Amino acid sequence: MAPQGKPTVVVIGNGMVGYKFCEKLLAKSTHFNLVVFGEEPRVAYDRVHLSEYFGGKTADDLLMAPHQWYLDNGITMHLGDAVQEIDRASQTVHARSGLVQPYDYLVLATGSSAFVPDIPGVEKAGVMVYRTIEDLEEIKAAAATARHGAVLGGGLLGLEAAKALLDLGVAETHVIEFAPRLMPRQIDAAGSAMLQSKLEALGLQIHLSKATSHIGGEGRIDALHFGDGSILEVDMLVISAGIRPRDELAKLAGLEVGMRGGIVVNDTMQTSDPHIFAIGECALHAGMIYGLVAPGYDMAEVVASQLTQGARAFTGFDMSSKLKLIGVDVASFGDPFIAEPHSRSIVFEDAHSGVYKRINLSPDGKQLLGGVLIGDADAYSMLLQTAVNKLALPPHPEDLILGARGSEGESSASVLNLPDEALVCSCEAVTKGAICAAVTELNVTSVEAMKKCNKAGTGCGGCVPLVKDLINGTLTAQGAYIKNVLCEHFDYSRQELFDLLKINNLRTYDAALDHYGRGDGCEVCKPAVGSILAGLWNDLIVKQNVIQDTNDRYLANIQKGGSYSVVPRIAGGEVSPEQLMVIGRVAQKYGLYTKITGGQRIDMFGAHVSDLPDIWEELINAGFESGHAYGKSLRTVKSCVGSTWCRYGLHDSVSLAIEIENRYKGIRSPHKLKSGVSGCVRECAEAQAKDFGIIATEKGWNLYVCGNGGSKPQHAQLLATDIDKETLVKYLDRFLMFYIKTADPLTRTAVWLNKMEGGLAYLKNVVINDSLGIAADLEAEMALLIQHYHCEWKEVVENPELRKQFTHFVNAPQVKDPTMEFAEMRGQKKVVAW
Amino acid sequence: METLTEVTWLPVCKTTDIPADGGACVLVEGQQVAIFNFARRGEWYATQNLCPHKQQMALARGLLGSAGEACEPKVACPFHKRTFSLLTGECLNGDECAIQTYPIKVEGDDVYIGWL
């Protein structure tokens, strides 16, 4: 049967690791006759994402590769046929079906089974394990009628199983753990406590230090009896008390196995028989069973390499892991437990938001050894990189988990701490290393020159501020003196120029250039000065439209193909049926594509520039006003439905969102501003991802600032707690005005704060304690901006001279741009691709 | 050596049609041409309206400026800020191909471009 001369490799087990071995071996050589035995009826599936089976994924969605893949690659599959015996003398395996298959090499990828502790009553109906798709089907069936469910085991898999029960609608779900804390293998006691309180808030009931003495019930489980005499009534029990390596075949064949299970292997994954290898959860390497998939894949790679004359060896594996458990971030890396005197730890704990972070440093404070992150694991990759690559730590290692709060020098140092391979410009695939090398070796010292040198920042442009920081940081590191200037035309920073224009009462770009600049300006300083002037005087943007950035020039967002989009303001996301009909009619009349935006409003795309004034005239007549979607200004204040409808809502988040949005609408800022108001801690408005976010508390409102999504997401930080509305508005006035006055051009609040000397503590001092003595000025300046609000579109619609500018051809105003092409998609129009 | 090419002067618009220190697009013989009124310098320029980077009819809506010690006049495309010299049409950042420039003159309040 086997083709002449091709050695036969038999794989026992078609799990994730067994499959990965086939894939890796085939990638290296096709000079093998590959035969796979699997006892499950289906081909390998993704066990890591098993819980998604409950979330609507089908068994087929979870397959590692479809059936056809095995056929296409000439693999002989024996599914639902378990190997019962290995005859090492004759080098054959004997399957239950009676099949005898000779082998040259045998790979055991038998995995593990759920460990079922020896508790009286485990055989009763309603007691099951969490391991295979069949197990899940059984759980699903039981959960349909169960009211009280329990999971035995508070480890990783146990908590996942508990989530599955919650998702399946079991009214009361309990987690029973023998140890005094959850996930005892991965995280420390304080982290466990934080995780526990978060999970309890989500409805799980957790019982620690509980030894189950027996399972009660007549044939079918009705209760758990504990060693301390207590009883818990349950209709179903899922056991997830750990794994047991499937080593019975190996044991039967006389291969060496460990005392507590596991097939003993050396660094090449060879068992005590040189023709037989073991990989994945059944293998015992240096006294360790690896229960994660990544080390299993690495073992598969090692065997594939060995069979093809490679030299790869397995030398242990980093067990760092990060996962989202029932919506809670949990991560541990390096050595999470190491303590005094071998290490010193820094711990950050915020019980209110449920965040716990611990990092373990070497005793001299120079190296990161490991840590635990609960509730917020954003820093995981960076911390893991730091630990694995033994990167030097900043002078204040607490910055690693608290965020940089130091001086500008330190924060640019943190940018420089990115690994060289970090992708900075993803459009043009330029790494941090390439950018820094261009500075040091090719003497590239400006963003413009960098664009020319390696195209960084020439795609979407989103990375330009980061590129600038890297250039300046690298130059500073080389000892060069960096003056923060706008561009080649102004030797001042935005903040300096802001003050100069204010003191000298300058109100036009030309005046600013004549007094403080040189040359004829450019695409950097013109919009920046435009933003400063708007922040000072809030004059009509269109009065100086030729200095405005792309979208402010035509008060609309330019889209692919040169058409524009139209976004009326829908404050707080509240819109009436009548308003919806107006938008519908306008979109229909002008042939616009409509889409709901991320900020809870409606965007109409595909407008010809010459149609803009007519479109806005109709919208304004119906009571709408500009949504400023085109401006570096407040976009939306997103809101949840709040206490008026929601049974959890503490306060009326919608009314506050509308009030806040209307207060700050139209005000120009260094970059766009987004906000959100949530009516309770469930945070449906995602306020903590906004430039300023407001969350209702029992006593008032919590104010968070300086968060954003975007290319580098960052959570907002808590500025003030339990404040009333008047205080909230006062703090917001000060905060926003301080940002408008001091941020660099096109710098979001998050980056502004990251660069701020003293960080959040400093900002708090300025906004809350008025440490600079400018609070009254900030409030007055904000009041002036609010007072000068006008709907720019209303001004244009009512002014024939301004309306005239909205044409494509000035010498043929009635002709629309003939190059603009649209195609149809799902019943609406779309732009023909670039 | 210089090759002189006969150009035809075509009236395309009025000076008041083009905002000071800004641009606008005109239709000439079926082609889109960007006209720039660089009022700060007292100069007029004309180029193709198409930005070669993403083939967008957009240069007329771009920002005017100058580059370097020599104050070379330039326009930045509103889409992705590619900049082009208004004198030579050359791309000043990145490696886009150069844009076509046209001779331009103002007589009274009429703007003419030299059609090649």
Side-chain angles (χ1 to χ4, degrees):
Chain A
M1 198 169 85
Q4 280 291 312
K6 273 195 177 184
T8 298
V9 176
V10 172
V11 183
I12 304 182
N14 189 225
M16 297 175 76
V17 171
Y19 159 80
K20 192 55 82 172
F21 168 74
C22 297
E23 189 190 281
K24 284 177 180 288
L25 184 65
L26 286 166
K28 290 183 198 296
S29 166
T30 50
H31 198 68
F32 288 99
N33 176 33
L34 205 46
V35 182
V36 175
F37 286 88
E39 66 176 2
E40 284 190 60
R42 46 188 115 233
V43 293
Y45 54 87
D46 182 352
R47 238 181 267 276
V48 174
H49 295 101
L50 205 51
S51 61
E52 288 172 19
Y53 186 63
F54 291 128
K57 283 214 173 181
T58 66
D60 275 356
D61 290 334
L62 290 172
L63 292 186
M64 302 292 293
H67 274 272
Q68 193 59 37
W69 180 85
Y70 297 89
L71 292 177
D72 291 348
N73 285 288
I75 301 173
T76 310
M77 294 296 286
H78 299 289
L79 290 179
D81 195 5
V83 170
Q84 291 188 309
E85 193 195 337
I86 302 166
D87 183 345
R88 289 165 55 197
S90 65
Q91 292 195 198
T92 51
V93 297
H94 298 254
R96 189 171 27 195
S97 61
L99 186 77
V100 177
Q101 169 69 48
Y103 66 80
D104 295 296
Y105 298 101
L106 179 63
V107 177
L108 301 174
T110 45
S112 64
S113 56
F115 168 67
V116 179
D118 197 10
I119 300 168
V122 285
E123 73 292 344
K124 294 198 165 103
V127 180
M128 50 214 99
V129 295
Y130 182 79
R131 189 75 193 147
T132 63
I133 287 191
E134 282 68 30
D135 296 336
L136 260 64
E137 277 167 354
E138 202 186 328
I139 293 172
K140 215 169 173 175
T145 55
R147 296 200 51 246
H148 307 278
V151 174
L152 191 63
L156 211 90
L157 268 180
L159 293 177
E160 207 177 275
K163 171 185 164 42
L165 292 194
L166 275 185
D167 290 351
L168 288 170
V170 176
E172 246 182 60
T173 300
H174 300 265
V175 174
I176 320 291
E177 170 59 46
F178 179 72
R181 61 175 206 256
L182 296 172
M183 294 183 70
R185 283 156 165 270
Q186 286 89 5
I187 56 180
D188 63 351
S192 289
M194 186 66 80
L195 176 63
Q196 183 180 348
S197 67
K198 291 214 92 163
L199 295 180
E200 281 170 346
L202 292 166
L204 280 182
Q205 301 191 36
I206 293 166
H207 311 268
L208 301 174
S209 304
K210 283 275 186 196
T212 310
S213 59
H214 71 276
I215 295 167
E218 295 294 323
R220 175 164 197 90
I221 181 170
D222 65 9
L224 290 172
H225 298 262
F226 300 111
D228 58 9
S230 58
I231 297 172
L232 180 67
E233 288 186 14
V234 294
D235 314 316
M236 65 181 292
L237 174 69
V238 178
I239 295 180
S240 177
I243 57 168
R244 199 172 49 84
R246 294 282 303 273
D247 58 7
E248 60 275 8
L249 259 182
K251 214 186 262 176
L252 200 68
L255 296 175
E256 189 187 347
V257 296
M259 281 230 299
R260 292 162 70 190
I263 307 164
V264 175
V265 293
N266 62 17
D267 284 355
T268 61
M269 308 319 291
Q270 225 163 21
T271 65
S272 52
D273 180 330
H275 293 280
I276 305 180
F277 298 84
I279 55 176
E281 291 177 328
C282 66
L284 181 68
H285 177 263
M288 178 104 178
I289 297 280
Y290 289 88
L292 292 182
V293 72
Y297 284 180
D298 200 43
M299 295 175 184
E301 170 70 29
V302 168
V303 178
S305 155
Q306 291 292 331
L307 294 185
T308 51
Q309 271 69 53
R312 267 294 306 274
F314 185 77
T315 51
F317 202 86
D318 182 58
M319 291 296 276
S320 303
S321 56
K322 173 184 163 182
L323 65 153
K324 216 176 185 71
L325 212 63
I326 323 186
V328 183
D329 276 349
V330 179
S332 78
F333 61 95
D335 187 337
F337 302 118
I338 190 169
E340 304 253 2
H342 309 292
S343 130
R344 57 192 178 90
S345 300
I346 299 174
V347 171
F348 168 80
E349 194 170 345
D350 178 354
H352 176 76
S353 54
V355 173
Y356 171 82
K357 300 177 182 183
R358 164 180 168 173
I359 50 174
N360 306 321
L361 311 175
S362 57
D364 61 7
K366 287 188 176 152
Q367 263 190 38
L368 182 60
L369 303 177
V372 176
L373 305 170
I374 309 289
D376 169 13
D378 289 354
Y380 171 76
S381 312
M382 208 270 288
L383 291 174
L384 178 61
Q385 292 277 349
T386 306
V388 171
N389 299 323
K390 300 191 166 51
L391 294 183
L393 298 184
H396 303 289
E398 62 272 22
D399 290 352
L400 289 173
I401 48 174
L402 300 180
R405 300 149 305 117
S407 69
E408 205 157 318
E410 281 170 56
S411 71
S412 51
S414 71
V415 177
L416 291 180
N417 276 347
L418 285 172
D420 274 353
E421 55 276 13
L423 208 53
V424 171
C425 171
S426 39
C427 301
E428 295 290 341
V430 186
T431 62
K432 178 234 172 189
I435 289 169
C436 294
V439 176
T440 51
E441 285 157 30
L442 304 172
N443 204 22
V444 173
T445 58
S446 69
V447 173
E448 274 314 302
M450 190 64 73
K451 285 181 177 175
K452 249 185 171 164
C453 174
N454 52 25
K455 290 191 160 187
T458 57
C460 68
C463 63
V464 167
L466 190 57
V467 171
K468 191 175 171 191
D469 284 352
L470 279 171
I471 295 172
N472 287 349
T474 310
L475 286 171
T476 311
Q478 288 181 310
Y481 171 68
I482 307 300
K483 187 165 173 7
N484 183 6
V485 300
L486 271 189
C487 66
E488 60 173 294
H489 304 105
F490 285 94
D491 282 337
Y492 300 95
S493 70
R494 183 180 182 279
Q495 184 179 352
E496 289 166 335
L497 203 55
F498 194 102
D499 292 337
L500 287 170
L501 300 191
K502 179 177 184 183
I503 293 163
N504 293 289
N505 195 24
L506 299 180
R507 290 170 182 252
T508 65
Y509 173 79
D510 275 341
L513 190 60
D514 290 341
H515 280 80
Y516 299 107
R518 61 170 167 269
D520 303 309
C522 67
E523 70 280 7
V524 174
C525 59
K526 281 184 171 177
V529 171
S531 161
I532 292 173
L533 293 172
L536 279 171
W537 321 113
N538 204 6
D539 266 347
L540 202 56
I541 284 285
V542 279
K543 278 194 194 160
Q544 295 189 62
N545 62 357
V546 293
I547 63 164
Q548 307 300 339
D549 220 335
T550 310
N551 294 333
D552 264 341
R553 169 97 195 255
Y554 289 97
L555 303 178
N557 296 49
I558 197 166
Q559 307 291 351
K560 270 184 180 178
S563 68
Y564 286 88
S565 63
V566 172
V567 188
R569 186 163 299 288
I570 297 180
E574 187 180 83
V575 61
S576 70
E578 291 72 23
Q579 288 173 312
L580 281 174
M581 286 189 271
V582 170
I583 291 178
R585 273 198 303 273
V586 168
Q588 199 172 37
K589 177 169 171 188
Y590 293 93
L592 307 177
Y593 165 86
T594 51
K595 186 179 185 305
I596 309 286
T597 71
Q600 301 187 333
R601 44 194 192 172
I602 298 168
D603 205 337
M604 292 170 261
F605 291 81
H608 286 272
V609 66
S610 50
D611 284 341
L612 287 172
D614 296 342
I615 291 171
W616 276 106
E617 185 164 21
E618 295 197 25
L619 290 170
I620 285 165
N621 287 341
F624 282 106
E625 54 183 9
S626 169
H628 298 95
Y630 44 81
K632 302 297 178 205
S633 58
L634 179 70
R635 296 292 168 83
T636 72
V637 182
K638 185 174 177 176
S639 70
C640 69
V641 76
S643 60
T644 45
W645 291 92
C646 175
R647 68 189 192 280
Y648 294 115
L650 295 171
H651 309 311
D652 181 1
S653 50
V654 181
S655 295
L656 182 65
I658 292 173
E659 189 179 333
I660 298 287
E661 183 163 338
N662 282 327
R663 181 173 181 82
Y664 300 117
K665 67 187 173 189
I667 290 171
R668 293 307 200 271
S669 43
H671 210 307
K672 64 186 168 194
L673 288 165
K674 295 184 176 182
S675 177
V677 181
S678 280
C680 79
V681 71
R682 284 166 191 77
E683 243 285 68
C684 296
E686 297 164 328
Q688 288 168 94
K690 307 295 186 202
D691 294 281
F692 57 100
I694 301 156
I695 302 177
T697 69
E698 296 280 352
K699 297 176 197 151
W701 304 96
N702 281 355
L703 173 58
Y704 292 81
V705 294
C706 301
N708 64 220
S711 61
K712 267 177 74 187
Q714 187 166 324
H715 275 137
Q717 300 185 49
L718 187 60
L719 186 82
T721 313
D722 293 331
I723 48 177
D724 60 22
K725 200 179 81 184
E726 286 64 40
T727 313
L728 175 80
V729 168
K730 187 169 71 179
Y731 287 174
L732 273 178
D733 279 2
R734 295 174 183 178
F735 163 74
L736 289 173
M737 203 62 223
F738 191 48
Y739 165 65
I740 289 171
K741 293 180 76 169
T742 63
D744 278 337
L746 302 180
T747 301
R748 290 287 295 268
T749 55
V751 179
W752 171 65
L753 180 64
N754 293 347
K755 289 186 188 176
M756 190 181 291
E757 207 166 316
L760 183 68
Y762 178 80
L763 182 63
K764 266 187 183 171
N765 252 330
V766 173
V767 172
I768 299 174
N769 305 326
D770 192 13
S771 60
L772 297 181
I774 56 169
D777 290 343
L778 293 174
E779 288 171 38
E781 285 158 345
M782 180 55 84
L784 181 97
L785 295 185
I786 293 169
Q787 189 198 326
H788 281 85
Y789 167 78
H790 24 230
C791 171
E792 294 141 1
W793 267 113
K794 189 163 186 287
E795 309 272 348
V796 171
V797 164
E798 291 170 356
N799 182 330
E801 275 306 302
L802 291 175
R803 273 185 96 127
K804 231 183 72 182
Q805 298 181 2
F806 290 81
T807 52
H808 188 74
F809 298 111
V810 288
N811 61 345
Q814 68 289 353
V815 180
K816 289 174 178 172
D817 180 0
T819 64
M820 222 183 268
E821 279 184 274
F822 298 101
E824 204 229 65
M825 186 188 232
R826 289 184 293 277
Q828 293 204 69
K829 72 174 176 183
K830 67 161 190 168
V831 178
V832 173
W834 320 100
Chain B
M1 271 261 291
E2 201 176 307
T3 314
L4 289 173
T5 318
E6 193 76 17
V7 299
T8 320
W9 290 100
L10 301 173
V12 291
C13 61
K14 299 286 178 195
T15 52
T16 49
D17 288 333
I18 316 292
D21 291 310
C25 176
V26 293
L27 191 58
V28 187
E29 312 265 309
Q31 309 242 7
Q32 302 200 17
V33 176
I35 308 288
F36 299 103
N37 171 10
F38 213 146
R40 191 181 166 80
R41 301 165 65 108
E43 295 164 0
W44 289 77
Y45 295 98
T47 70
Q48 68 184 52
N49 192 31
L50 183 84
C51 175
H53 174 220
K54 292 284 181 185
Q55 309 291 312
Q56 300 291 301
M57 285 297 182
L59 289 178
R61 300 178 200 174
L63 283 161
L64 293 179
S66 67
E69 291 301 316
C71 273
E72 182 159 16
K74 64 174 187 176
V75 61
C77 173
F79 271 89
H80 303 96
K81 304 281 158 65
R82 289 289 195 282
T83 56
F84 299 91
S85 163
L86 291 171
L87 295 176
T88 65
E90 241 173 89
C91 181
L92 300 173
N93 50 8
D95 42 14
E96 304 306 333
C97 53
I99 54 169
Q100 172 78 54
T101 60
Y102 300 91
I104 185 166
K105 68 175 181 186
V106 173
E107 281 175 9
D109 60 356
D110 289 312
V111 180
Y112 297 83
I113 67 165
W115 205 238
L116 309 170

